[in-house]
Every structure is written in structure tokens, then in C-alpha cells.
């Protein structure tokens, strides 16, 4: 009797494995009609950000949409309207409830979003992260600027434009790994490569031009010999520029910003910002969609559902940077 039960159990397991592999093969083959990689309009992939009205997201969303067009699938864009952790969690929960084919997410807070990301993955919804990571989550990949290296590049550029000597400051945005990495890259490079320079203060800008302006004004007041300010995000760069203008120190205090919103580009054009770090934002959106599609269709090797410990995707992808100055700023205005 026991032997018969074992035989039945083995047969049931074998049948289950067969059905699973058949469905996986069917899913894979459905993505390759007529030899081309293609999905269906019923497949819906969702991008989720925060401060959803920010100009910064536009090129990332464009890449995501272009990826959707290339694969014949539908895409949506949602986000918290404010810089609010709970609002982004709520938006992400609502997206999960609709069971999309995949989610691309920029995490407002590395720790706070981890449980919700894991909930999506455990529900069979692949998640990839872009721009801002949640490294302890179950998300499959993180596509972004190597933010530490971006901070290094900003430090090298700052050293060049201030003559490799003098006091400099940083205005950043706490709670996000990307800003922390940019800050670390800048500080550590100044300390290790430029002994005649020093980072005298790091202040909070909260991604807001007015708060960054106040922070820069306070920094200028405390450090009358300040030579430069590195701002780790876009809005703060224009705020710092306003503070330098108000202090009548334009040209004397060099500003390096981050990203290529129009206000920053305009300030580079008129000389109040010396440079900015441009990220490969379109790449973030486009390859996020491609990765989600491959995960959804089981096209990765090893397939994520087969219990293999090897990641089915590159865990980290550097989407690249360039330095924008007055010499090349025209190339970064929207065509």
C-alpha cells in the first residue's frame, strides 16, 4: 500500500513539473511570434516614482514607453505626488492589487519600501528598481547611475574649476541611497586626491529649491572663503545658484549640480552654475521595461522560478553619466 502511495505521489509530482514546464515553454514561445520578441497589448507594465510631476522623470518615462512600443505591450506611469514615503507605499500597494506584468520602481526610502517590494515579488510580480535602490529587497535588478562614481566625477570637476584648493560644501537629500553615494564619492575623493581642499559642511536640501537656497545662504555666511558647492539633485542646484547671486558671489563660488532640467541648463548657459552631472535617464526606463518583459516571459537564464540562487538579471547596471558645461549645454536642451 505504501509503495502504491509513493508511486502515485511520484506520478503527481512528475505531472506537476510537466505542466509547469509546459506553461513556461508556452509563455516563452508566446513572446517570440514569427521569430521576433513581442508581447501583447494586454500585458501591462507599471512605473512608480515619487514627486511624480518632476521634470527629471520625463526622460525615464519616455524610455519606458519606447520599450513598451518596441515590444507591443502597454505601460502606465504612477507616483506619489509629494516627497512622502507613505504615499508611495500606498501607490505601490494599489499597483500590486491590479497584478501587472511587472513593476519598475524608484524607491523614495530604501528601508521603508522593502516590505512592499517583497510583497509584489512574492505575489509573482517581477520588480526592477531604477535610480534609487532598496538593496535589501527581493527586486531583481537595479538600473542607475553609479552614484559613487558620479560623486567622484563631480569632485574632480570641482577641483579643476576651483584650482585644486579651498573650502567646498555639499547640499544633499537624506534618506536615499543614491544621494548618500554621491555625497560619499565627492567627500572621499576630495579627501584622498586634493589635500589643499576640504569639505567644510554637508547640509540638507530636501529636493526643494527654496530649502536648498536657505542652506546655501547659511553655508556662505558661515564660510566666507567658500569656493564651491556640490548639490546632489536638480532643484537644489538652482536654489544654491539663487543664494550665490543674492550674496553677490556669482563666479566666485562655483556650483556643480545634478541632472539636466531646464532651469539647471539655463543657469549653466548664463554662468551661474558651472557644471551638472547628466545621467543616462532614458536607459533607466528602456532597460527596466526590457528586463521586466524578460522576467514575465521566463526568457532569462536561469529562469527566476526554478529555485536557482543565481540572479536571472545583472544585479546592478550602470546607465552612465556625462558632465555638462557651457561648452556642450546646447546638446541637452529638449529637441
Amino acid at each position: 500500500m505504501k509503495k502504491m502511495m509513493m508511486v502515485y505521489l511520484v506520478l503527481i509530482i512528475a505531472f506537476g513539473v510537466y505542466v509547469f514546464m509546459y506553461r513556461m515553454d508556452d509563455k516563452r514561445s508566446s513572446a517570440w511570434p514569427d521569430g521576433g520578441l513581442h508581447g501583447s497589448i494586454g500585458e501591462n507594465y507599471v512605473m512608480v516614482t515619487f514627486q511624480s510631476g518632476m521634470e527629471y522623470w520625463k526622460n525615464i518615462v519616455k524610455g519606458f514607453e519606447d520599450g513598451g512600443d518596441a515590444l507591443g505591450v502597454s505601460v502606465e506611469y504612477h507616483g506619489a505626488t509629494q516627497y512622502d514615503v507613505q504615499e508611495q507605499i500606498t501607490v505601490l500597494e494599489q499597483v500590486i492589487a491590479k497584478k501587472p506584468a511587472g513593476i519598475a520602481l524608484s524607491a523614495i526610502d530604501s528601508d521603508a519600501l522593502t516590505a512592499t517590494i517583497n510583497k509584489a515579488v512574492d505575489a509573482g510580480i517581477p520588480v526592477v528598481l531604477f535610480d534609487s535602490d532598496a538593496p535589501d529587497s527581493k527586486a531583481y535588478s537595479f538600473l542607475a547611475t553609479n552614484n559613487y562614481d558620479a560623486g567622484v566625477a563631480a569632485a574632480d570637476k570641482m577641483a579643476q574649476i576651483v584650482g585644486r584648493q579651498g573650502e567646498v560644501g555639499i547640499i544633499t537629500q537624506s534618506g536615499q541611497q543614491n544621494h548618500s553615494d554621491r555625497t560619499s564619492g565627492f567627500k572621499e575623493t576630495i579627501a584622498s586626491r586634493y589635500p589643499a581642499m576640504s569639505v567644510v559642511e554637508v547640509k540638507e536640501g530636501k529636493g526643494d529649491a527654496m530649502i536648498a537656497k536657505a542652506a546655501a545662504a547659511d553655508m556662505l555666511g558661515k564660510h566666507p572663503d567658500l569656493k564651491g558647492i556640490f548639490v546632489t539633485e536638480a532643484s537644489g542646484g538652482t536654489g544654491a545658484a539663487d543664494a550665490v547671486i543674492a550674496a553677490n558671489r556669482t563666479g566666485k563660488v562655483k556650483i556643480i549640480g545634478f541632472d539636466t532640467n531646464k532651469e539647471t541648463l539655463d543657469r549653466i548657459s548664463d554662468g551661474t552654475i558651472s557644471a551638472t552631472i547628466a545621467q543616462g535617464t532614458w536607459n533607466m526606463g528602456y532597460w527596466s521595461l526590457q528586463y521586466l518583459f524578460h522576467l514575465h516571459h521566463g526568457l532569462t537564464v536561469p529562469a527566476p522560478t526554478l529555485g536557482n540562487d543565481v540572479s536571472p538579471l545583472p544585479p546592478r547596471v550602470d546607465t552612465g553619466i556625462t558632465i555638462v558645461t557651457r561648452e556642450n549645454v546646447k546638446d541637452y536642451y529638449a529637441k
Side-chain angles (χ1 to χ4, degrees):
M1 184 67 177
K2 288 183 179 180
K3 289 183 179 180
M4 288 298 294
M5 289 295 293
M6 286 297 295
V7 170
Y8 283 130
L9 182 60
V10 169
L11 289 173
I12 290 168
I13 292 172
F15 179 73
V17 171
Y18 169 78
V19 170
F20 172 77
M21 295 305 296
Y22 175 82
R23 287 181 177 175
M24 287 296 293
D25 288 341
D26 185 58
K27 201 173 184 182
R28 290 190 187 100
S29 63
S30 69
W32 294 89
D34 303 320
L37 192 63
H38 204 269
S40 67
I41 201 65
E43 280 177 52
N44 189 43
Y45 297 86
V46 182
M47 176 174 283
V48 178
T49 66
F50 50 91
Q51 289 180 295
S52 56
M54 281 200 310
E55 185 179 344
Y56 172 71
W57 303 121
K58 290 182 179 178
N59 207 38
I60 301 177
V61 175
K62 179 64 165 59
F64 198 68
E65 291 172 342
D66 288 347
D69 289 343
L71 295 170
V73 299
S74 63
V75 301
E76 293 181 19
Y77 172 56
H78 297 283
T81 57
Q82 305 297 321
Y83 188 78
D84 186 294
V85 174
Q86 289 306 314
E87 186 184 1
Q88 190 181 38
I89 291 173
T90 298
V91 171
L92 185 56
E93 291 276 7
Q94 291 169 345
V95 170
I96 292 169
K98 295 180 180 179
K99 298 182 180 178
I103 299 171
L105 172 73
S106 182
I108 190 172
D109 185 287
S110 302
D111 296 325
L113 269 294
T114 293
T116 314
I117 294 167
N118 292 350
K119 178 180 177 179
V121 175
D122 290 342
I125 303 168
V127 178
V128 297
L129 295 162
F130 66 91
D131 189 59
S132 185
D133 198 7
D136 294 327
S137 74
K138 295 180 180 180
Y140 287 97
S141 188
F142 176 49
L143 301 94
T145 302
N146 183 319
N147 286 292
Y148 185 91
D149 287 352
V152 171
D156 287 337
K157 187 64 180 177
M158 182 68 79
Q160 177 192 345
I161 61 181
V162 302
R164 292 175 173 253
Q165 60 182 352
E167 299 176 343
V168 295
I170 301 171
I171 296 175
T172 189
Q173 190 169 344
S174 61
Q176 287 182 238
Q177 191 66 43
N178 52 349
H179 293 285
S180 176
D181 289 345
R182 294 167 195 172
T183 299
S184 296
F186 186 89
K187 286 178 65 178
E188 291 171 15
T189 301
I190 294 295
S192 63
R193 296 183 186 176
Y194 305 104
M197 294 178 68
S198 60
V199 176
V200 293
E201 193 166 7
V202 179
K203 293 187 75 68
E204 174 63 55
K206 294 188 177 180
D208 182 280
M210 294 305 296
I211 295 173
K213 180 180 178 181
D218 183 67
M219 196 182 294
L220 291 167
K222 289 179 181 176
H223 307 282
D225 295 326
L226 198 72
K227 292 288 189 70
I229 301 173
F230 171 47
V231 188
T232 66
E233 51 78 37
S235 298
T238 56
D242 287 340
V244 169
I245 293 168
N248 197 29
R249 295 175 69 179
T250 303
K252 297 177 182 177
V253 178
K254 308 297 185 182
I255 298 169
I256 296 180
F258 221 94
D259 297 323
T260 54
N261 60 318
K262 185 177 183 302
E263 291 82 0
T264 297
L265 298 178
D266 288 345
R267 295 302 181 87
I268 291 175
S269 296
D270 68 23
T272 52
I273 293 179
S274 298
T276 193
I277 306 299
Q279 303 185 73
T281 48
W282 185 90
N283 286 338
M284 294 181 198
Y286 181 82
W287 291 107
S288 288
L289 193 285
Q290 290 282 343
Y291 280 7
L292 290 171
F293 182 90
H294 279 68
L295 288 165
H296 175 71
H297 285 279
L299 299 172
T300 56
V301 178
T305 50
L306 298 183
N308 198 310
D309 290 335
V310 179
S311 175
L313 294 175
R316 295 182 66 90
V317 178
D318 182 1
T319 49
I321 63 162
T322 53
I323 297 176
V324 182
T325 64
R326 211 168 185 175
E327 285 67 39
N328 63 347
V329 67
K330 290 182 180 178
D331 297 336
Y332 288 85
Y333 280 98
K335 298 296 189 290

